Amino acid sequence: MIPYQVIEKKSQGFALKETEIREFVLGYSNGLIPDYQMSALLMAIFIKGMTSDETLDLTRVMLESGERMDFSGSPGFVADKHSTGGVGDKVSILLAPILAVLGIHVPMISGRGLGHSGGTLDKLESIPGFNVNLGLQEWKDLVLSQGLGLIGQTGTICPADKKIYALRDVTATVRSIPLISASIMSKKIAEGIQGLVLDVKTGNGAFMQTLTDSRLLANSLVSIGTGYGIKTTALITDMNQPLGLAIGNWFEIEESVRGLQGNGPADLMDVTYALGAEILRMADPKLSQDEAVEMQKKTVADGSAFEKLKKITELQGGNPKVLDELEKYPKARFQTTIRSTQSGYLSGIDTMSLGFAGIQLGAGRKIISDRIDHSSGMYIHCKLGDKMGVGDEMLTLYSEDEDKLRSVEEQISAGFTFTETTPELPPLIVERIT
Ligand code: URA
């Protein structure tokens, strides 16, 4: 296989053979093919797409680049949730402990920030000491004893996704149905799960901005999962505004903790419970939707889900005390509050530009080697449909670098639009795909 020829073939829109995909992906994963050739192939796939057979081949090759966990014999239902990526989407951090308390085993393999969207691993690492690079046996032991273990792709589990994911993050090759499908599903199949719920985001802060594209992605993910014998459903959920109010790594941990303490924003909690209900009802089909939601709310009300998050933090090397003392976390040196210059109902937020502003502030990477600044990010003070007056606070930005703060201020204000009458708001849970 000559990499040049494979890139050329895909760039002309032809379908690749399984052997071509295999040799290219494994060659890259093993360091034989350089970043620049993989970047070129990713861009060709991004532009020309892949057939469903190619997508399946890519998923299988990425899965087989590493090991697969085996939880057969596990007493609990083994399941996971994964999001296609959005802004302020911290659901995994709430849902994994909630499900673990309810007896589900959650072997969660997450990713880092990708394009404009944040990543669970970067968020977890904002907790001092939290180690997302556990050995496979240690991770498995945690899942079996605690009900959850939170790791990233490693050199042994999904190594191909680990490298390709990091490259996609900085080469604008994220927004592609085959690439997202193979990335997510190779990780989820490798987990050895029995059930999976996918949160497919739709709207101006999602990789899939139209409902049509979101449905295509949801169907692609669900059909791959089902084909591998995993009970798989997808909820298409709204991403025309950030989920919750916090964007940025520590900011999102803080909001997750408040959510688990019973003080989470309504939209964040509703999406969390809706996704959780999918898993709980897969594990026990006799449960009604309301019962499945109530069970989860109880783990928040009685503090058990928060205790579980603290326990897993401690067992993964993190300092659980910081979760009890949120206000003591070091703040970024500079902050500024943006106020509304108009009055009216908030009718639109350029959500993707808020995600990119977060990167600009230091919360994400512009190149692979960039270091994340965990105390950079933002709080939004308004949601779509809110009535705003001139001078009302819209959002507060935090950064260690004052110049960066100034550079995003103007660009952010331009992304808020207003109407004189109450705007029609999109539903939060748009559709369910099975
Ligand atoms: N999450 C992933 O793991 N991969 C993607 O490509 C997008 C979201």
Side-chain angles (χ1 to χ4, degrees):
M1 188 269 311
I2 298 176
Y4 181 99
Q5 288 181 310
V6 175
I7 299 166
E8 172 90 345
K9 185 172 174 184
K10 182 41 74 185
S11 70
Q12 291 186 11
F14 295 108
L16 301 179
K17 292 194 206 129
E18 201 263 358
T19 48
E20 291 167 329
I21 296 175
R22 181 171 296 278
E23 286 181 38
F24 208 110
V25 168
L26 296 185
Y28 178 63
S29 186
N30 296 329
L32 303 174
I33 291 181
D35 281 353
Y36 54 83
Q37 284 181 317
M38 183 47 109
S39 301
L41 181 64
L42 290 171
M43 189 52 85
I45 295 172
F46 179 84
I47 292 167
K48 296 293 181 179
M50 277 183 145
T51 64
S52 48
D53 281 347
E54 284 178 287
T55 306
L56 262 179
D57 288 342
L58 180 60
T59 308
R60 191 176 337 103
V61 166
M62 286 173 61
L63 170 67
E64 291 171 4
S65 70
E67 287 184 40
R68 238 169 120 168
M69 295 309 284
D70 180 7
F71 282 100
S72 51
S74 142
F77 186 69
V78 186
D80 195 11
K81 164 264 163 193
H82 201 93
S83 161
T84 58
V87 179
D89 179 5
K90 63 236 11 127
V91 169
S92 295
I93 295 156
L94 292 111
L95 191 53
I98 289 176
L99 290 174
V101 168
L102 294 172
I104 305 291
H105 285 158
V106 188
M108 190 176 270
I109 305 179
S110 304
R112 298 193 177 277
L114 191 61
H116 70 286
S117 84
T120 302
L121 300 182
D122 294 330
K123 295 171 199 178
L124 289 172
E125 282 181 348
S126 71
I127 303 173
F130 200 110
N131 178 14
V132 295
N133 300 308
L134 304 179
L136 288 191
Q137 191 56 48
E138 195 183 348
W139 175 52
K140 187 172 180 181
D141 291 346
L142 275 185
V143 173
L144 291 175
S145 63
Q146 297 300 319
L148 78 169
L150 309 170
I151 63 163
Q153 317 95 316
T154 70
T156 42
I157 195 148
C158 303
D161 184 57
K162 183 179 167 83
K163 276 190 88 176
I164 295 172
Y165 190 100
L167 200 55
R168 287 170 61 220
D169 176 35
V170 291
T171 55
T173 49
V174 181
R175 213 188 302 174
S176 148
I177 290 178
L179 295 178
I180 296 177
S181 299
S183 164
I184 292 182
M185 295 313 295
S186 61
K187 288 194 282 291
K188 300 300 106 176
I189 300 162
E191 291 173 350
I193 49 179
Q194 299 161 285
L196 173 65
V197 62
L198 295 150
D199 184 2
V200 177
K201 299 291 184 195
T202 192
N204 68 7
F207 292 118
M208 298 297 129
Q209 306 215 331
T210 65
L211 188 52
T212 308
D213 284 347
S214 306
R215 280 193 188 121
L216 285 172
L217 177 57
N219 280 310
S220 166
L221 295 164
V222 170
S223 78
I224 297 173
T226 310
Y228 272 87
I230 301 171
K231 287 187 190 177
T232 311
T233 62
L235 296 185
I236 298 182
T237 69
D238 183 61
M239 189 35 71
N240 283 298
Q241 60 181 329
L243 192 61
L245 299 166
I247 304 172
N249 300 295
W250 170 253
F251 295 75
E252 298 195 37
I253 292 290
E254 201 177 23
E255 189 166 78
S256 305
V257 167
R258 295 200 199 284
L260 291 179
Q261 291 172 333
N263 300 314
D267 58 347
L268 172 64
M269 301 315 293
D270 286 350
V271 172
T272 302
Y273 294 142
L275 291 163
E278 292 290 319
I279 300 275
L280 292 170
R281 297 184 70 200
M282 282 175 198
D284 179 0
K286 291 193 295 300
L287 277 181
S288 71
Q289 178 74 12
D290 287 349
E291 285 168 336
V293 169
E294 280 314 308
M295 286 163 70
Q296 297 176 79
K297 287 187 174 171
K298 205 157 159 266
T299 70
V300 171
D302 67 14
S304 54
F306 180 44
E307 284 308 312
K308 183 60 83 176
L309 179 66
K310 285 200 289 183
K311 184 78 190 166
I312 200 66
T313 296
E314 186 182 357
L315 292 172
Q316 293 202 212
N319 178 1
K321 248 177 104 180
V322 296
L323 304 180
D324 276 322
E325 300 174 340
L326 298 174
E327 63 297 336
K328 292 199 179 153
Y329 198 84
K331 296 269 175 306
R333 271 193 304 153
F334 301 99
Q335 72 177 70
T336 187
T337 295
I338 299 183
R339 292 173 186 277
S340 176
T341 51
Q342 295 180 52
S343 61
Y345 293 92
L346 185 59
S347 58
I349 299 177
D350 182 349
T351 314
M352 188 170 284
S353 83
L354 290 185
F356 281 121
I359 297 177
Q360 191 70 17
L361 293 174
R365 298 174 186 80
K366 292 184 199 160
I367 57 171
I368 289 181
S369 54
D370 272 351
R371 282 177 68 86
I372 298 267
D373 169 14
H374 290 124
S375 58
S376 291
M378 62 189 91
Y379 287 117
I380 316 191
H381 306 300
C382 47
K383 298 293 275 188
L384 289 180
D386 283 358
K387 189 157 177 8
M388 308 284 294
V390 174
D392 284 353
E393 291 188 350
M394 293 203 301
L395 73 187
T396 306
L397 312 176
Y398 298 79
S399 182
E400 282 296 303
D401 182 328
E402 198 170 14
D403 291 341
K404 288 181 182 168
L405 211 57
R406 301 290 158 235
S407 76
V408 297
E409 243 181 300
E410 205 171 302
Q411 139 206 348
I412 282 188
S413 317
F416 285 72
T417 52
F418 298 84
T419 48
E420 280 179 12
T421 52
T422 330
E424 204 174 305
L425 299 181
L428 186 58
I429 315 276
V430 182
E431 218 165 276
R432 177 170 185 263
I433 307 272
T434 57

